[in-house]
Each structure stands twice: as C-alpha cells, then as structure tokens.
Amino acid sequence: MEPNTPIEKITRLSPFQKKALSGMGIKTIWDVLKHFPTRYGEKNAVKSIEFLTAGESAVIFGRISNLKVGKTFKSRVPISTAQIEDTTGKIKLMWFSQPYIAKMFEEGSIVRVEGQVSERKIGSDNQSSELSLLNPKIEKVNKIPDGTSESLFGETDDHNLFPTYKETKGISSNWIYHCLQKIFRSGILENLKDPIPSYILKKYSLPTLSTALVWIHAPRTEKDADIARKRFAFEEIFFVQLDRQKERQLTMREKTFVIKKTKKEMDEFIGTFPFPITKAQKQSVDTILKDFESGHPMSRLLEGDVGSGKTAVAASACFSVVTTPPPNREYGALQVAYMAPTEILAEQHFESFIEYFKKYKIEVGLVTGSGAKKFPSKTPGETWTKISKPQLLKWVESGQIPILIGTHSLIQKTVKFKNLAFIIIDEQHRFGVKQRKELRRKQDIAPHLLSMTATPIPRTLALTIFGDLDLSLLDELPPGRKPVETKIILPQNRQDVYESMREEIKSGRQAYVICPRIDEPDKEKELAVNARSVTEETKRLQEKVFKEFKVMSITGKMSPKEKEDAMRKFKNKEAHILVATSVVEVGVNVPNATMIVIENAERFGLAQLHQLRGRVLRSSHRPYCFIFTESKSAKTIQRLKSFMKAKNGFELAEADLKQRGAGDLGGQKQWGVSDIAMEALRNIKMVEAAREEAKNIIEKDIELDSFPLLKARLNKANTIHME
Ligand code: ADP
Ligand code: MG
C-alpha cells in the first residue's frame, strides 16, 4: 500500500462514487488523506439566516414564532409551520405530517433547527420566491451559543469532534470518515516520509506528518486538531517560501545594470514636478535608487492606494535609468519597458510620461493592440505622433527610444530592446516575475523589476505570495486631496441618493453603481438572498429611475475587448451611469466620475470596498460614495462603519483578515493558496518562521541537494505550476 495507491484498493467503490470522488480531485489514498475536514462538532455549519442559500444544509439558532397547524391545499396532509428569527433575518419552517410539532414549542422560545434550505415560488405569478427549511430537526436550547449568528461557527465541545468534510452526492462526511479509518488501519502512515526536516518540527513543536494526519481527521481533542492544522498550514507556507526564496536567490546572483545618479541630478528632475513629492514617495524613490546601485537585480513591489502617486515614483526611477549610458559606452541610453493591464491605462501612462519627460526631451513610445505612438512629434504644434508599429519597434531595437509603454503586446517576440535595464509592471503583481523573464528575452544581463499595485495586501500575504519581492509602501496620499465622503444609506433613503445623483449628473458629472452579481440568481445554486445584479439594475435604473440619462453596464463576463470599449465609452461621456460588478476595481481612471453607489455592500470585503471607492478619488470635484446594505447584523454595520472612517487600504486589508477571515480575501481564487494556508496568514509569527527557515536552507543549498524530499516536492509543485 502506497500513498498513490488508488482508493478502490482499500474500499469498494460504485462507479457513481468513483466518478464523484474524481470530481472532487480524489483518486488515491493520499488524496483522501489530504482532504481535510472543514470543521468539527456540529455536523452542519451554523449559519446566519441572512446568508442562507437554497440547497445547503444548515444549523440555525434563533427565536421561534407564528407556530400554526394546517393542512396542505391538495392532499390535505397535516402541516406545521413556524418562523425562526435571528439578528440577521427570518426564515419559514415547515413540517409535513408532524402536526404535534407546533404544540411542542412555546412562542418565542429559543431553538436550534437543522435541515436543508429549499426555495419555492410564491405569489400568483410565481414571480417571487421564498426560502424555507422543510422538515428540519428542531430542539429547544437554553441560549444561543455565543457569536453564533455572526461567526458562522457554533461551539464545538470536546465530546463531539465529528469531522465534517466537503461533500458531494454519494460521498458523505461519514463515508470519508470510514474510508479514512480503513486507511489508518492499513498501516500506511508508519511508512510515510515527512518532507519537513525534523529539526524544524522540533523547533516549532509541530507534529510529524503521520501524527498530524491522524489528528486532523480523528482528533481526540480540539487542541490536537488545531496543532495538526497548524502543521499543514506551516508546511504549505514553508513550500511557497522555499520556492520564492529560491527564485530570489537565483535572481540575486544574476548580473545586472548598475545605475548611479547624484542627488543633485535627481533633485533637479523631481523639482520639475508641478507638486512637491510626499515623504512616502521620496523614500520609495531613494530605496529604488539604492537597489539600482547595488549590482543585484531589483525585484520590488510598490504598493499604494489609488492616487498615492505611484506613477511619479516610476517616472523618477525611469529618469535615472534613461539618463545612464549602457555599460562601457559614453552615449546612448539604458531602456525601460512599462507594461499596463489595459490599453486605456497604457495611454494614460503615455500621457503622464510625456508630462514628466518633455522638459528633458526624452523620447517615449507607446505600443498597444491598436497601434503605436511616439513622443515627441516632428510636426509643429503636435506633442506626439502616430507612427507605424514596425517603425517604432525598429527604434526601440536600435536603442533610440529609451522608454516603451504598452499593454501585453510588449511581450510579443517582435518587441526587442537594445539594453533593457528596467521593467515596470502596473497592476499585475501576480505575473511580474514571469514577465521579467519573457521581456528580457535572451539578454544576458537581468533588468531591474518594479511591480506596482493598488491592491491592499496584508503584510503576511505579501511576505508569502510575494516572498521573492521586496516591499515598498506608499502609505500616504498627497496633501490637499478631498477625501471621499462616504455614507451608509438606509433602504428608506434610496430615493434621496437618486436625487443627489441626478443633480451631480445634471451638473456634468458621472456615476458608478456597483452590484455584487452579474445576473439574476440561478434559483438552484446561487445566493438566494436577493443581492442586486448588474443586468436587472441597469434595466431598472434606465427604465424606471433615470429615463433622461444613458445607463450602461460592464461585467467580468465580457471579453477584454468589450470591457475596454465599454470603459472608453464611459470615459468619453457616452453614458452618465455605469453599472458594474467589481471589475472596475483595478486601474480605471475616469476623473469626471465623482459618485459611486455600492449595492449590498455587506457582500464585499473592506479592502475591496476601499478600492471601489478609490475610483472616484481622481477628480478635482468633491467625490461621494454611498453604500447600501440590507443587512441588520451588528457586525456588518460595524465593519461598514470602519470602512466609512478608514483612509488607508492597508489597515482595511489587515482588518479584513482579522474580522472576516482569510477566506474572504479570495485565497484560492486570487492568490492560489489553500484555505488552511490563508488561515495561517493571520499568524505573522508563523509566516516569519516559515520564511526564515526556508531562507536559511536556500542560502546554504539552493539546489536542495541535501534535502531530497524537499527537492522532489518543490520540483513537483513547479511542474504543476507550469501546466
Ligand atoms: P497612482 O498610480 O498611485 O494611483 P498617480 O501616480 O496616477 O497615482 O497619481 C495620481 C494623481 O496625483 C496624478 O494626477 C498625479 O499627478 C498626482 N500626484 C502624484 N504625486 C503627487 C504629490 N506628491 N502631490 C500632489 N499630487 C500628486
Ligand atoms: Mg497608477
């Protein structure tokens, strides 16, 4: 019996179960062992009523009322009905053929109910629907467990540590539990080799692999389960760190361009800006210049809220590069590639760079999917000129044009530089390192890399996911910015907000309306609570509320081209109101848009709300942000209030991590780490320990020759990445 032995060798599987398991990515014994419980104790998750979804199983604690007995309309079956209410909402309960239930409970008593949430059409036209629990288990309890309706987690007590797993039809938690018992009895655990060196386990008092597997699936105490989770979290972060530290070391050892500028030269350039730079900007520039002098390729992440002035930092760094001649030459210039995520942004950067560099007559090129431009123009009265792409690329290749700005089209093989010394990547922090590799092509000297982002990332996450990058923060906005006036709006005041929007739009401004979903709920699957959708809201606003204005929409379902077109139209004032999902979060700049309305704000993370609000910060007009919520949960209101007051994205990202939990940062989807590792990111000590240990190992033994198990695992992980 080996970890990669197929499951059917240990337990009988029906073809249906086999299919269900493989749908969950489970084929081997090892896969089952790594299918960790999502929780213990309560067999189902304790939920707040407001977050119930049709089809899920849930446990709810709350007050019961409206107890009644009746008969079903057609078949005359006796039916008991009631409703249960917690701090977040109400839901109907129904029991068929159990008329006594209504007699068993007193109005207003506190109960625990458990069952499946179902959704049914109501009303004569079947237009609306309602959620209910059908035939739920019900029992009286003395009190609602602490924090239940807020935290989603009930109390677990030691005598009830039944593991709950992600399930699928045919594969219940119970089935997994029994399958694991068989695996444990097979003796396979005794032969497992632990990839984490034992000195590290000892140092941090972590259990070995086989102990941790037993403890996570069949813990005797909650503490054992916690320590086991901690070990697996450490393991995952440790491997991410090994990978990043190796990447970092390999980069550090490469040859690069040494760029030295005097303070006087830099001050002179920065002195041409129409504003004094902020302390944070100055510090970032100084750090970058130090990196440039060091002789090692820079790999740096510059993190700063929208409007914190990242472009000015990038321009200063560029200046030092393009005024430096190539090695062993007295004239000519080192070159810069500046990559933006969209055409609109690339064009914006092109225009700002012209402003920054025109006094120095430094040439700037722009290449996107739709063509090429060059500054300066030879034609009098024109700042830039359209030129053919091949012509522009020829000048880039000969080294005549030192700065090339563009979209993904920069990656194309036709784009060649003579002396590419510096790469700037805007808003694509996940790909920075990979793009450096692609952009430098066969150049044997490594360019420096600056990756810039407005996504607020908690420190632990940055240290992990971007462990191969150094971090600079712009944690201060330029002085004199009008903060966005943020208000939480009660549902009954919706009309007032529309009136304010109407006035703003009449005076020439534009507005965003953000909805959490694209389409109306898929009645089977999606969140049955009625979160507003872009489709419906666009229609409603256009037809019912703002007949006199043009309303358009944009969502993540559209192709990149469609999105660009929609944004361009909005920017050109072809519409007054843009209804969107959170796709407008990144990088879009429409200075004339001064209002943002966010529907169902409780459904967004704090950091995300902050980024959305940043969309209206660009303007010289007073910006407004109105947030709607139908949530009555005290915790949600608390969160939204902290958003109202906060000025800085980093604080909010940390607050999100603490309050909502790592899952809400979009671990798997956005950053490619498991839920268990995201949980660990709440623990800065663990992250630092994993980083330290990985660094020590890599510094001594970059190929991991004396750690064959680590090496095998890391290589395996990397092949998976490449696929
Ligand atoms: P980011 O890319 O970080 O969102 P930008 O670099 O685009 O921000 O800067 C936003 C705006 O603020 C630009 O119009 C820029 O000219 C201006 N700006 C940048 N730095 C300063 C500063 N120190 N003082 C005043 N305005 C600034
Ligand atoms: Mg920017």
Side-chain angles (χ1 to χ4, degrees), residues 267-280:
D267 285 349
E268 205 177 284
F269 175 70
I270 289 167
T272 65
F273 296 178
F275 44 74
I277 60 168
T278 64
K279 255 221 269 336

Side-chain angles (χ1 to χ4, degrees), residues 307 310-311 338 345 349 426-427 452 587 618:
K310 295 184 288 294
T311 316
Y338 187 168
L345 281 169
H349 294 327
D426 197 17
E427 281 310 344
M452 306 199 292
R618 294 300 187 110

Side-chain angles (χ1 to χ4, degrees), residues 273-278 281 304-313 338 348-349 352 356 426 452 454 474 477-479 481 589 618:
F273 296 178
F275 44 74
I277 60 168
T278 64
Q281 282 172 316
D305 273 348
V306 170
S308 57
K310 295 184 288 294
T311 316
V313 174
Y338 187 168
Q348 263 170 37
H349 294 327
S352 335
Y356 282 115
D426 197 17
M452 306 199 292
L474 291 183
L477 286 182
R481 283 283 159 77
N589 181 9
R618 294 300 187 110

